[in-house]
Amino acid sequence: MSTAQQMPTQRDWLALIRLPGMGTARLAEMVAAAPDWPEGWLGCLPRQAATMLRLWLDHPARSPLLQAVEADLAWLTAAPGRHLLHPGHSAWPALLEQIGDPPLVLWALGDLAALRPPKLAIVGSRRPTREGLANAAAFGRELASRDWCVVSGLALGVDGAAQQAALETGGRSVAVLGCGVDVIYPPRHARLYQQLLERGGLILSEHPPGTRARAGFFPRRNRIVTGISLGVLVVEAAEKSGSLVSARLAMEQNREVFALPGSIHNPQARGCLKLIRDGAVLVRHVDDMLEELSQWAVSVAPFASVERSDHVNDVGDPLLRWLSDAPSPLDALVNLTGLSVPDCQRRLLELELEGRAAQAPGGWVRLPENAQAC
C-alpha cells in the first residue's frame, strides 16, 4: 500500500464498522484489497452500505451513524490512554494482516508501547493445579525479564497468573478481552486490570466500550491473542479446553505452538500431551521457546551500530540485516529495525522487485544470492 494513498480517518473508521449488512470478515477483505478511499470503497460495497457511506461522507450531520460515532469520539477523548487502532495506524499490529479473519479495528486502553516488544501468548486452564499456576508465573516472569511481552486474555487461572508475574517483574503485558476495554471481566481480576493500566500494560478489544462479556465473544477473542503473538504457550489444559482452541488458531495462523508436559494421571495435562503428540514443541524452560524463535530474541542495539556505519552493504540494509531463510513477520521486522510500518512495507517491496527478498507463509525471507534478479 502506497504511503501517498488516502486512508479513512479515525472518524471514518468509526462509521465503517457500523455500516449495515457488513460483517467484520467482509470489511476485512476490503481492507486487504486496499481500494482507493473513498471512491474505491463506495464501488465495492453493497448498495445499502455504499448509500449509507456516501451520506456519511457528504452530509454527516444527516447520517444515522452520527450519534454513535460522536459517542465513540467522546469516549476516546475523555481521558488519556484511550485509542482506536486500525490498519494504517502506527501502532496497528502488523501480524494481524497475516490471519484469515482479522478484526477491523481494535479499541485500546493503556500504553501502546506494550505492542513494541516481540509478543508471546500464554494460555491455559482456568482451574489449574498449584504446579500449573507456579509454571505460568515462572514463564511469565522469565519472558518479561527477557524483554518479551506476555499476551493473554485476563482469564482466571493460567492467563492471569502469567500476566500478573510479567507485570510484577517490570515487564509488559497485553490483555485481549471478550468485552469492551472499559468492562472488567472477570470481575475477580479488577486488581490485575488496574495493574495493567498502572504498569505500562495494554488492554485490547474489537468490541466498542461498554460492550458486556458474552460467551460467543471469547473464541473470537482468542484469534487476536494468538494473532498478535509470534507463538503461544499452553501451560495446562484439559482434553476439551478453550486453550486448545487457541492452539488450533495459532497453528492455522502459522504461529509456533508450545506446550508444557505433565503427568499422564493429571487431567489438566492431557490437553498439553495431546498437543505435543500432534506436533507442538515440548517445553521445559523458556530457552526451549526462544531457540525456536531465536530470530526475535535479539536486541535491536546491534542494528543501531550497523546503521551508523559508513560502509553501506547488505549487512547495513535496514531489512536485509534481519532477513534469513526463516520467515520473518512484518511486525517483528518493524520492531527490530525501528522503521515505520509503511517504510518497512515499501522497503520490502523494493527488495522483492530486486529479487533479494520474497514473501513466504509466516512472513518474509531473504533470497540466496544465486536467486537474485540480474
Side-chain angles (χ1 to χ4, degrees), residues 291-370:
E291 285 174 9
E292 296 291 326
L293 300 169
S294 58
Q295 63 268 44
W296 315 126
V298 180
S299 169
V300 298
F303 172 75
S305 61
V306 171
E307 190 178 38
R308 290 192 295 269
S309 171
D310 292 332
H311 181 62
V312 179
N313 55 23
D314 285 355
V315 176
D317 186 279
L319 279 166
L320 283 177
R321 168 71 173 82
W322 299 108
L323 288 176
S324 68
D325 58 358
S328 302
L330 178 61
D331 71 337
L333 291 172
V334 169
N335 288 332
L336 289 167
T337 62
L339 296 171
S340 67
V341 172
D343 286 345
C344 194
Q345 290 175 318
R346 183 174 63 250
R347 181 58 185 143
L348 285 168
L349 178 59
E350 292 170 352
L351 291 172
E352 185 175 34
L353 293 173
E354 294 168 7
R356 306 167 82 186
Q359 277 191 287
W364 288 81
V365 297
R366 181 172 179 167
L367 295 176
E369 294 294 326
N370 59 9

Side-chain angles (χ1 to χ4, degrees), residues 114 117-122 136 139-144 147-152 159 161-167 171-175 196 202 229:
K119 291 170 282 296
L120 195 138
I122 298 182
F139 276 84
R141 188 179 303 113
E142 182 66 16
L143 282 167
D147 297 323
W148 283 70
C149 174
V150 173
V151 181
S152 203
D159 299 36
Q163 294 190 275
Q164 180 87 52
L167 293 172
R172 299 280 193 176
S173 184
V174 172
L196 276 162
L202 185 67
S229 305

Side-chain angles (χ1 to χ4, degrees), residues 73-93:
L73 288 171
W75 184 88
L76 287 165
T77 57
R82 299 181 177 190
H83 314 274
L84 182 76
L85 307 185
H86 50 77
H89 190 288
S90 60
W92 179 254

Side-chain angles (χ1 to χ4, degrees), residues 278-298:
D278 293 343
V281 177
L282 185 153
V283 171
R284 301 160 299 170
H285 42 66
V286 165
D287 287 337
D288 286 335
M289 295 189 294
L290 299 191
E291 285 174 9
E292 296 291 326
L293 300 169
S294 58
Q295 63 268 44
W296 315 126
V298 180

Side-chain angles (χ1 to χ4, degrees), residues 234-246:
V234 184
V235 174
E236 274 191 344
E239 287 184 284
K240 296 182 179 180
S241 166
S243 301
L244 300 188
V245 174
S246 295

Side-chain angles (χ1 to χ4, degrees), residues 192-206:
L192 177 55
Y193 177 98
Q194 195 60 37
Q195 287 177 329
L196 276 162
L197 299 181
E198 293 172 351
R199 301 186 183 186
L202 185 67
I203 299 168
L204 296 176
S205 176
E206 65 181 322

Side-chain angles (χ1 to χ4, degrees), residues 192-257:
L192 177 55
Y193 177 98
Q194 195 60 37
Q195 287 177 329
L196 276 162
L197 299 181
E198 293 172 351
R199 301 186 183 186
L202 185 67
I203 299 168
L204 296 176
S205 176
E206 65 181 322
H207 304 290
T211 303
R212 312 306 299 180
R214 291 173 53 187
F217 290 162
F218 292 99
R220 290 187 56 75
R221 177 273 308 271
N222 293 344
R223 84 192 194 284
I224 301 174
V225 170
T226 57
I228 65 174
S229 305
L230 294 168
V232 57
L233 170 65
V234 184
V235 174
E236 274 191 344
E239 287 184 284
K240 296 182 179 180
S241 166
S243 301
L244 300 188
V245 174
S246 295
R248 176 181 57 78
L249 288 168
M251 291 176 183
E252 293 173 355
Q253 296 166 351
N254 292 317
R255 306 297 192 257
E256 295 287 351
V257 177

